[in-house]
């Protein structure tokens, strides 16, 4: 019998800045473990008949290779999910929580049933996110501006000055919006920039400098601190995983 492959797919969402993704992991041994690196995002995930919120990570999250089945999710841009969920991001930092832990059970049961009945759970989650956004309104434009500046590689000091906040104010608002302070978010986004550049074929040293690191050694330290591995090991594991499935850019299944 031919071996079924894992399938990961993602597409831009109609919700500004969000991504809709699905992952199908068929039964069978020998599936490679995957590490999901910090990206500043939060996800609402449909998996095993339940709804789970993946909070913002400060270190690599190891996905249990024994997990099987299909997942569907919406990955929200940094600073977006706390407004939709009504929960400060720092309360979910490095944590996966059932949505029923955060919202009234009857509300979650109704949404769970709606997604379960849908022929396309990912589309159903996206529709929910769009409707919820219409009710809650957009995220604070100030925190959106902070995320955008840090994504472009601006320093924390210049970002604070440009948005008109003092250091303490910026830190407090960043905890609620992103789950951690602006310095941590800046490091995470810089690492993601560097990894994206390496995936295009750029050598490590050039990717490090282009992303805003002082040199390759600086990037290597950040990789160890935030991802718990080396660049070589990470990309070697990615190549092994790619023999079965495209490497997810940020999918977060539960442990």
């Amino acid at each position: 019998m031919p071996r079924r492959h894992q399938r990961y797919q993602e597409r831009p969402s109609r919700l500004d800045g969000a991504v809709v993704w699905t992952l199908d992991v068929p039964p069978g041994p020998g599936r490679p473990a995957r590490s999901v690196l910090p990206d500043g995002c939060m996800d609402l995930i449909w998996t095993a008949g339940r709804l789970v919120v993946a909070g913002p990570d400060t270190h690599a999250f190891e996905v249990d290779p024994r997990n099987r089945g299909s997942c569907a999710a919406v990955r929200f841009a940094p600073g977006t999910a706390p407004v939709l969920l009504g929960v400060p991001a720092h309360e979910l930092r490095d944590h996966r929580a059932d949505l029923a832990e955060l919202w009234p059970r009857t509300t979650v049961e109704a949404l769970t049933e709606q997604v379960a009945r849908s022929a396309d759970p990912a589309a159903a989650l996206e529709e929910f996110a769009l409707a919820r956004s219409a009710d809650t309104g957009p995220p604070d434009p100030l925190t959106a501006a902070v995320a955008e500046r840090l994504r472009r590689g601006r320093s924390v000091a210049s970002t604070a000055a440009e948005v008109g906040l003092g250091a303490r104010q910026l830190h407090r608002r960043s905890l609620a919006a992103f789950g951690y302070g602006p310095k941590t978010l800046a490091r995470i986004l810089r690492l993601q920039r560097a990894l994206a550049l390496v995936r295009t074929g750029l050598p490590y040293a050039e990717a490090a400098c282009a992303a805003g690191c002082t040199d390759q050694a600086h990037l290597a330290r950040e990789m160890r601190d935030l991802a718990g591995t080396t660049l070589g090991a990470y990309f070697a594991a990615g190549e092994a995983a790619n023999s079965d499935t495209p490497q997810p850019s940020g999918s977060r299944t539960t442990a």
Side-chain angles (χ1 to χ4, degrees):
M1 178 179 293
R3 182 180 180 185
R4 289 184 62 206
H5 296 317
Q6 300 180 50
R7 292 184 301 167
Y8 174 81
Q9 295 179 314
E10 66 175 43
R11 62 171 173 81
S13 171
R14 287 177 288 148
L15 180 65
D16 188 35
V19 171
V20 177
W21 61 265
T22 58
L23 176 65
D24 179 27
V25 184
R31 308 297 176 186
R34 293 184 296 108
S35 294
V36 180
L37 302 193
D39 57 9
C41 299
M42 295 174 61
D43 298 55
L44 177 61
I45 305 170
W46 165 256
T47 178
R50 61 195 180 106
L51 291 166
V52 176
V53 177
D57 293 325
T58 59
H59 54 75
F61 177 77
E62 301 297 326
V63 179
D64 191 334
R66 297 170 297 179
N67 283 354
R68 298 291 179 260
S70 298
C71 299
V74 177
R75 182 167 69 245
F76 301 101
T80 303
V83 176
L84 298 178
L85 299 175
V87 180
H90 64 82
E91 293 187 8
L92 296 172
R93 183 174 54 233
D94 293 322
H95 185 54
R96 271 69 180 156
D98 280 3
L99 186 59
E101 297 177 28
L102 310 176
W103 284 10
R105 185 165 297 276
T106 54
T107 301
V108 176
E109 287 175 352
L111 177 58
T112 300
E113 183 178 351
Q114 177 182 340
V115 176
R117 289 199 311 263
S118 174
D120 186 345
L125 286 177
E126 182 182 28
E127 290 295 337
F128 161 74
L130 287 164
R132 179 74 178 174
S133 178
D135 290 338
T136 62
D140 182 354
L142 186 145
T143 55
V146 169
E148 179 59 27
R149 282 165 171 76
L150 295 179
R151 185 181 294 110
R152 295 202 309 260
R154 303 299 294 268
S155 70
V156 172
S158 65
T159 296
E162 289 169 7
V163 300
L165 290 179
R168 290 185 179 180
Q169 288 177 309
L170 178 59
H171 186 81
R172 182 174 65 251
R173 295 178 73 157
S174 293
L175 287 177
F178 311 123
Y180 21 66
K183 290 183 179 180
T184 299
L185 178 62
R187 292 177 63 203
I188 287 170
L189 296 178
R190 183 176 60 199
L191 177 63
Q192 287 291 344
R193 286 197 304 276
L195 296 179
L197 290 168
V198 172
R199 292 188 189 101
T200 68
L202 206 63
Y204 292 161
E206 293 181 32
C209 293
C213 295
T214 54
D215 52 26
Q216 183 175 334
H218 182 193
L219 175 58
R221 290 193 299 272
E222 292 291 82
M223 191 69 182
R224 285 189 177 277
D225 288 347
L226 295 171
T229 187
T230 64
L231 288 162
Y234 175 73
F235 283 106
E239 290 172 3
N242 281 341
S243 65
D244 278 342
T245 181
Q247 186 74 358
S249 64
S251 61
R252 305 142 174 265
T253 52
T254 55

